[in-house]
Amino acid sequence: MNALSSAVNQACVAATTARSGRFVADDGIRLSYFLWGTTDTQSPVALHHGFAASTETNWIATGVVAALLKAGRSVISIDARGHGQSDKPHNADRYGEARMARDLVGLLDHLDVAEFDLFGYSMGAIVSLIVASADTRLRRLVVGGIGEGVLVTGGVDLRVMNRDAVVAAMLTDDPSTITAPGVPEFRAFAEANGNDLVALGAQASRMFDQAINLKNIAAATLVLAGRRDALAIQPERLAAAIPRGRCIKVPGDHLGAVRQPEFIEAAVEFLGP
């Protein structure tokens, strides 16, 4: 069996063994989640995906869930509002990474999780940093696809991913008009995953741009970044700003690094048993 077939097989196994559920956020939005294993005998790893992705595309199809299960971990993953199998309101006031952080905490409370590790990518990494800065139940944290932009613009690097350009790219009827660097790829990614583009435009308009209290993160933290990821330049600066932070660079760009064996291996090893 070649590496691709093995990864697909692992993803299929992971997908069929998940228990799925729905819970209602405090503003009435219905959110879907997936659970592998149990949360009553061991601390789970909670996963939060990136923009225009989902549990399926960010974590199952890449082999991340399968690798965590092979390492003996229980896993919880949420489909963020506007994504995957969760509700997709079109009102921008329902979005933003701070709102998604409340959703994730709400899910962990709903499942009576006493202690957890957390792994977020891109948009999900910003969500994870916000959660980590306030939730004392967190043991270990992995964030991928982000770098010094968190220190400069407060969230996903807005110097590279212009908010207005992303909103326009999600809403246009003519993708050929999208010219901002890096943005056409996100539109293509969003369409390929069957997303509600109006919902994604609403989220893009609320991209986080405030200071995160990184000094308040007590958990051991790993910052993972692809060496060609324009949204994750100088990730070592972000790691240095977190009291117990460290940084590892792996091959790949923003959309590809999460699929690299080095990325998955580093995350799983850091999260441990």
Side-chain angles (χ1 to χ4, degrees), residues 19-256:
R19 286 179 285 154
S20 61
R22 301 265 279 182
F23 82 105
V24 180
D26 57 21
D27 64 347
I29 298 299
R30 295 167 299 173
L31 301 169
S32 292
Y33 67 90
F34 306 85
L35 173 63
W36 293 263
T38 177
T39 62
D40 55 6
T41 59
Q42 59 177 303
S43 300
V45 178
L47 304 175
H48 199 294
H49 62 77
F51 180 74
S54 64
T55 292
E56 172 65 35
T57 58
N58 208 147
W59 304 121
I60 296 176
T62 58
V64 170
V65 169
L68 288 168
L69 296 178
K70 185 177 180 181
R73 300 304 306 269
S74 293
V75 179
I76 298 168
S77 185
I78 189 171
D79 276 355
R81 55 182 59 211
H83 296 74
Q85 298 179 28
S86 291
D87 283 355
K88 300 171 180 65
H90 289 175
N91 186 341
D93 291 342
R94 296 297 188 100
Y95 288 98
E97 287 90 335
R99 174 62 259 186
M100 291 175 177
R102 295 198 298 275
D103 292 340
L104 181 56
V105 171
L107 172 60
L108 296 170
D109 291 343
H110 173 76
L111 296 174
D112 293 321
V113 172
E115 188 178 63
F116 65 98
D117 295 338
L118 183 54
F119 187 0
Y121 194 77
S122 192
M123 176 187 77
I126 304 303
V127 172
S128 297
L129 289 175
I130 296 169
V131 171
S133 69
D135 199 312
T136 58
R137 295 174 291 177
L138 183 63
R139 300 190 314 167
R140 284 166 287 197
L141 171 67
V142 178
V143 289
I146 56 175
E148 72 158 9
V150 175
L151 308 178
V152 179
T153 69
V156 172
D157 198 335
L158 296 177
R159 299 170 302 178
V160 178
M161 194 57 58
N162 179 271
R163 181 190 285 114
D164 292 339
V166 177
V167 173
M170 293 301 118
L171 300 182
T172 184
D173 292 327
D174 183 3
S176 69
T177 63
I178 304 170
T179 58
V183 178
E185 291 84 351
F186 270 93
R187 169 63 185 250
F189 180 72
E191 286 191 300
N193 291 331
N195 280 282
D196 181 324
L197 297 179
V198 176
L200 292 187
Q203 163 57 25
S205 73
R206 289 293 188 269
M207 284 194 287
F208 197 77
D209 60 0
Q210 303 172 41
I212 301 172
N213 189 2
L214 300 175
K215 294 297 184 184
N216 204 41
I217 298 177
T221 301
L222 175 63
V223 178
L224 274 175
R227 294 190 183 94
R228 295 186 290 108
D229 187 346
L231 286 171
I233 61 173
Q234 298 194 66
E236 60 277 1
R237 286 197 61 209
L238 174 59
I242 300 171
R244 299 172 62 197
R246 57 175 293 202
C247 175
I248 294 178
K249 295 181 181 181
V250 300
D253 58 13
H254 192 73
L255 295 178

